[in-house]
Amino acid sequence: MSVNVTYTTERKISSAYLDSSVRLGISHAAKMIQDNVTECFGSFSCDGVTYKQKYNAFWVFTKAKFSFADFPVWKETVTTTSFPVDNGGLRTHINTVIKDKEGRAVITANQEACVLSFETHRPVKLDQVGFPSENLPQAVFQAPFERFAIAPAEYEFVYEQKVRYSLIDMSHHVNNTEYINLALDVFTEEYLLTNPIKELEVHYTGETKEGETLIVYKCTKDTRTYVQIKAEDRLVFECYFLF
């Protein structure tokens, strides 16, 4: 039996979603999309809270790519739509589109996710947790994920950050959007205000918990800045910003 997997709702750009430009911020957009995807999955009983209760399992988002055509301003109302586009057995991809009041797609995103067992931390087949596999919508985000071909020696140290309580989410490790905040901190406010980000791709490669120390590195090439975050020698996050 097929279910409706497309979830659409209106969201107001409140002060909680603003950066210093008084527009929707980069990590704030990621958090808004995270909220919409969570509600989307909840609409057909496949959200993380349900999976923990029924299957002792949880969602892990491994990659995400965001395209920014514009940034909605304070008090603006946008329409956000999320939907999974496949069931690959062990992973799925989820598209999200944020449209302004004129119906223009201002932000689009594609995310890759899988389900892990809390007991073994091994992947769980999506069919075993009731994730839909039929009549899924066509993808609207076609750009593929990339491999970051940057040599380790090209990265320069920027700063360190100890993981404390405020970075932790309900899975007891650093929330995905917090890694984006940490990556944004390689730039100054002035630089980000005068150089709008057009595209962001992120790879979540490991978990970090309270008490660990994160080391942040960057490498700038032409219109891209690459960021790596390590916990000691273990890579836990990498991304690029396209300006």
Side-chain angles (χ1 to χ4, degrees), residues 207-241:
E207 299 177 358
T208 50
K209 297 184 178 182
E210 187 176 7
E212 293 189 78
T213 297
L214 302 178
I215 309 169
V216 184
Y217 305 86
K218 75 171 182 177
C219 170
T220 299
K221 284 192 171 185
D222 299 322
T223 57
R224 287 189 178 193
T225 294
Y226 296 84
V227 177
Q228 281 192 343
I229 300 179
K230 294 183 177 181
E232 296 185 353
D233 293 329
R234 179 171 59 95
L235 181 66
V236 296
F237 174 87
E238 61 181 347
C239 74
Y240 74 75
F241 299 95

Side-chain angles (χ1 to χ4, degrees), residues 40-54:
C40 173
F41 282 11
S43 70
F44 50 90
S45 301
C46 289
D47 58 284
V49 173
T50 300
Y51 277 7
K52 183 175 182 181
Q53 294 171 345
K54 290 183 66 175

Side-chain angles (χ1 to χ4, degrees), residues 17-28:
Y17 286 107
L18 300 178
D19 65 10
S20 61
S21 70
V22 200
R23 291 176 174 271
L24 179 64
I26 297 294
S27 65
H28 306 78

Side-chain angles (χ1 to χ4, degrees), residues 59 87-92 113-116 122-127:
W59 280 105
N87 178 330
L90 290 177
R91 65 187 64 201
T92 184
C114 63
V115 175
L116 299 185
R122 300 289 297 171
V124 177
K125 290 183 178 180
L126 295 180
D127 290 345

Side-chain angles (χ1 to χ4, degrees), residues 30-100:
K31 191 176 289 288
M32 179 178 287
I33 290 168
Q34 177 177 277
D35 285 346
N36 213 70
V37 169
T38 299
E39 292 169 20
C40 173
F41 282 11
S43 70
F44 50 90
S45 301
C46 289
D47 58 284
V49 173
T50 300
Y51 277 7
K52 183 175 182 181
Q53 294 171 345
K54 290 183 66 175
Y55 305 107
N56 197 30
F58 62 104
W59 280 105
V60 172
F61 286 80
T62 51
K63 295 179 182 177
K65 195 162 192 166
F66 307 87
S67 178
F68 302 96
D70 202 356
F71 294 92
V73 300
W74 182 41
K75 295 185 179 181
E76 186 174 347
T77 297
V78 296
T79 302
T80 55
T81 301
S82 298
F83 48 90
V85 298
D86 57 28
N87 178 330
L90 290 177
R91 65 187 64 201
T92 184
H93 295 88
I94 310 99
N95 284 186
T96 299
V97 182
I98 299 178
K99 294 184 177 181
D100 65 12

Side-chain angles (χ1 to χ4, degrees), residues 165-236:
Y165 166 77
S166 63
L167 300 179
I168 303 297
D169 64 14
M170 66 179 181
S171 296
H172 308 293
H173 55 71
V174 174
N175 185 272
N176 286 351
T177 59
E178 297 296 347
Y179 287 112
I180 297 175
N181 275 326
L182 294 170
L184 285 165
D185 281 344
V186 306
F187 307 105
T188 65
E189 179 193 15
E190 180 182 3
Y191 185 85
L192 291 174
L193 288 174
T194 55
N195 294 273
I197 293 170
K198 299 176 182 177
E199 188 174 277
L200 166 64
E201 179 170 334
V202 301
H203 297 177
Y204 303 104
T205 59
E207 299 177 358
T208 50
K209 297 184 178 182
E210 187 176 7
E212 293 189 78
T213 297
L214 302 178
I215 309 169
V216 184
Y217 305 86
K218 75 171 182 177
C219 170
T220 299
K221 284 192 171 185
D222 299 322
T223 57
R224 287 189 178 193
T225 294
Y226 296 84
V227 177
Q228 281 192 343
I229 300 179
K230 294 183 177 181
E232 296 185 353
D233 293 329
R234 179 171 59 95
L235 181 66
V236 296

